[in-house]
Amino acid sequence: MNAMQTAQHSRIAVVTGAGSGIGRAVAVELLLAGWSVALAGRRTQTLEGTAALAPEGTGGASIAVRTDVSRPDDVAALFAATVDRFGRVDLLFNNAGTFGPGGVPVEELPYDAWRHVVDTNLNGAFLCAQAAYRQMKEQDPQGGRIINNGSISAHTPRPHSVAYTATKHALTGLTKSLSLDGRPYGIAVGQIDIGNAATDMTAGMGAGALQANGEVVPEPVMDVADVARTVRHMAELPLGANVQFATVLATAMPYVGRG
């Protein structure tokens, strides 16, 4: 199979955090575009709910794999199940994450809460990327793509978000290192940084979000479908092209300038 045929026919994705929010929207977007998708998340019921939004016959096939991305054995089982069902992995959307306890000052943040955010957002992203990298390096045809879900917090923090912000900054380093190390094997790695997509996680922003000056101000949000379309564009580029970093945000959110 030549490179052009590979680009046309290899559409096998793993999406973590696929049971809700951005992960669900991206998984459905890929399924409806004809990708076959391994849906990974902590709760099988929510993964099955995602699959039901793109039933067989309307697009690609899917499997639901209960996965805690912070557990190496779970991650290994996820990729083994994907390869067993679909034969290879062409895309990892490294999306699973948690904000942790919101609004907690640094001096009051419990260590267990810090560790939970780090284990999910950073260690989990590393474990999934490592498993994808290993598979992509060894499969024939070789190569694939990893897209890490960063955040606006990968650039600048919100108040009282030390664990989340630290992990999202770390994801940028992970993206750059993987991108460099993947070059010899046709593994393209990029990152999407998202601001105020309308999901359960951002549901309270319309009522008001804490700003750097101490005020609580309502913030605009954007349709999560716009994020999903951006991820699909990144995913469907030929492996000779890569979106290294993309920032997609609600146009009027207080991010650029003094906001």
Side-chain angles (χ1 to χ4, degrees):
M1 184 179 292
N2 62 37
M4 183 175 294
Q5 290 172 318
T6 301
Q8 291 174 341
H9 297 291
S10 295
R11 289 175 170 262
I12 311 302
V14 174
V15 176
T16 66
S20 62
I22 291 168
R24 169 172 280 183
V26 169
V28 171
E29 178 76 16
L30 293 173
L31 284 165
L32 293 176
W35 289 71
S36 295
V37 182
L39 307 168
R42 292 174 182 266
R43 296 181 296 278
T44 303
Q45 184 175 2
T46 61
L47 298 176
E48 291 172 347
T50 298
L53 296 174
E56 300 254 357
T58 63
S62 66
I63 55 170
V65 185
R66 186 183 180 280
T67 308
D68 180 342
V69 297
S70 70
R71 300 174 63 88
D73 289 348
D74 278 20
V75 172
L78 165 64
F79 281 84
T82 303
V83 174
D84 182 64
R85 172 68 185 275
F86 299 121
R88 59 183 287 118
V89 175
D90 297 293
L91 171 69
L92 164 65
F93 181 46
N94 221 352
N95 167 73
T98 180
F99 192 82
V104 178
V106 174
E107 68 273 19
E108 298 176 14
L109 183 68
Y111 178 68
D112 287 348
W114 166 271
R115 277 296 306 269
H116 175 65
V117 176
V118 172
D119 283 344
T120 303
N121 294 7
L122 180 56
N123 295 342
F126 164 73
L127 290 170
C128 291
Q130 183 184 55
Y133 187 100
R134 287 170 172 164
Q135 174 61 33
M136 292 170 181
K137 180 180 176 182
E138 298 302 324
Q139 64 193 9
D140 183 21
Q142 190 181 63
R145 189 179 305 276
I146 298 168
I147 300 174
N148 293 324
N149 185 354
S151 171
I152 294 298
S153 293
H155 302 268
T156 189
R158 288 185 178 276
H160 306 321
S161 65
V162 63
Y164 184 78
T165 296
T167 57
K168 293 303 185 178
H169 273 68
L171 269 182
T172 298
L174 180 69
T175 297
K176 290 179 178 180
S177 289
L178 288 170
S179 184
L180 177 61
D181 292 343
R183 285 178 185 174
Y185 312 109
I187 301 172
V189 185
Q191 180 171 314
I192 184 166
D193 296 326
I194 301 162
N196 288 16
T199 67
D200 290 343
M201 185 180 287
T202 62
M205 286 186 174
L210 181 63
Q211 306 298 307
N213 65 0
E215 294 181 2
V216 175
V217 178
E219 293 189 14
V221 296
M222 63 177 172
D223 192 334
V224 71
D226 295 323
V227 175
R229 285 191 290 270
T230 304
V231 173
R232 180 162 73 90
H233 168 70
M234 296 168 70
E236 293 184 344
L237 289 171
L239 291 178
N242 187 41
V243 176
Q244 187 71 76
F245 292 97
T247 302
V248 183
L249 72 167
T251 303
M253 70 175 288
Y255 168 64
V256 175
R258 296 180 182 267

